[in-house]
Amino acid sequence: MGPDLDNEEMAEVFEEVSNYFFLLSEPTRLKILHALCNGERPVGTIVKELGATQANVSRQLNMLYRARILGRRKDGAQVYYRIEDQNTIELCRTVCTQMADKVKKSRQMHQDAIENFMT
């Protein structure tokens, strides 16, 4: 990293990075980010799309909001969430694309092994 950071500052950086990755380590939060990639949505729509409980989705939305990854606005009784931190989305897209490729390759290898066994 930067040579202009002392040990204490580097420790703080590593702590922040650890907290950031902890935030992204929960599948429901990743699903929420995915649901919001195409634009702002109300909480009820996110809940339906994820098939999770209102309480869990609200808790996860609040964590992402407090981390400034999401923004929100109220319109009457509805609360709408949107992506605020595009860097987080780009990071998630990159990692998810790589993992999707791994899953596809793994499934194909498994399918090939089954076919070879059957012949």
Side-chain angles (χ1 to χ4, degrees), residues 35-49:
L36 294 172
C37 278
N38 293 322
E40 181 181 74
R41 294 213 167 124
V43 173
T45 301
I46 298 167
V47 169
K48 283 182 189 175
E49 188 170 327

Side-chain angles (χ1 to χ4, degrees), residues 58-114:
S58 292
R59 183 173 43 256
Q60 306 307 333
L61 284 165
N62 192 42
M63 288 181 77
L64 292 166
Y65 173 75
R66 285 186 313 199
R68 296 188 177 117
I69 292 172
L70 299 182
R72 69 182 175 199
R73 70 176 176 88
K74 281 190 168 192
D75 185 11
Q78 292 272 32
V79 179
Y80 291 81
Y81 283 87
R82 67 188 174 281
I83 302 292
E84 283 291 314
D85 183 357
Q86 290 302 317
N87 291 325
T88 297
I89 297 308
E90 290 306 314
L91 175 65
C92 288
R93 279 189 180 134
T94 299
V95 172
C96 287
T97 298
Q98 290 176 357
M99 291 300 113
D101 288 345
K102 278 187 171 183
V103 167
K104 285 180 185 177
K105 286 177 185 174
S106 176
R107 286 189 177 181
Q108 186 59 51
M109 286 174 51
H110 181 71
Q111 185 63 35
D112 292 348
I114 290 172

